[in-house]
């Protein structure tokens, strides 16, 4: 759980007493590739801290899957709205490879927050940070063309381009497979000419 402790300390400090209060809310779980951490239509009652692997969030619209985000190690993934309000989730969270997560149970987290104020602050900070990351993703897709999105990832998050399968990456960037392959080929040729 060292990765989780490091993550928590990046959001807020936590005392040993607060950590002890938080522990009953934490459960380590492994999901197989293709397994859902959360299904659309369910209420999200957990935060998922990713220790190993990556997941996608997606919704089905008119029989087509729309990928809304990719989440990797040392990130929290959840449906902030569903977790906060108890409404059903409009999207699913799926393991894209074998994934190990630490599941943070909502009810037990709340109970821990009543015992240890630092845990309540942690929950608030965690949800705020997760919502801010979702806003960043929304801006990326509202303000950039597919080519600009690819270039943004190449500059700011190259690990996504290196790690995510081309079919999944094309869907994430909302590009057809042929358009995506042409764009990657052009970028590779430009890079070779620049060397």
């Amino acid at each position: 759980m060292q990765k989780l402790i490091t993550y928590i300390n990046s959001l807020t400090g936590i005392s040993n007493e607060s950590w002890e209060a938080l522990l009953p809310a934490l459960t380590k779980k492994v999901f197989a590739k293709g397994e859902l951490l959360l299904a659309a239509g369910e209420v999200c009652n957990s935060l998922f801290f990713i220790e190993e692997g990556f997941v996608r969030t997606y919704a089905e619209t008119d029989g087509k899957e729309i990928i809304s985000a990719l989440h990797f190690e040392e990130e929290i993934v959840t449906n902030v709205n569903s977790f906060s309000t108890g409404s059903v989730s409009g999207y699913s969270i799926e393991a894209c490879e074998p994934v190990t997560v630490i599941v943070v149970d909502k009810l037990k987290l709340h109970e821990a927050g009543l015992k240890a104020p630092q845990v309540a602050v942690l929950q608030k900070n965690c949800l705020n940070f997760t919502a801010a990351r979702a806003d960043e993703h929304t801006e990326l897709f509202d303000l950039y063309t597919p080519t600009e999105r690819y270039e943004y990832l190449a500059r700011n998050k190259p690990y996504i381009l290196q790690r995510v399968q081309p079919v999944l990456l094309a869907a994430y960037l909302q590009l057809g497979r042929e358009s995506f392959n042409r764009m990657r080929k052009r970028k590779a040729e430009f890079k070779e000419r620049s060397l």
Side-chain angles (χ1 to χ4, degrees), residues 97-111:
E97 59 187 28
V99 173
T100 302
V101 298
I102 297 173
V103 181
V104 184
D105 178 85
K106 177 181 176 178
L107 180 59
K108 292 179 181 176
L109 178 62
H110 177 71
E111 290 170 357

Side-chain angles (χ1 to χ4, degrees), residues 129-140:
F129 185 73
T130 303
R133 286 191 65 249
D135 286 347
E136 175 190 10
H137 175 83
T138 300
E139 287 178 12
L140 177 66

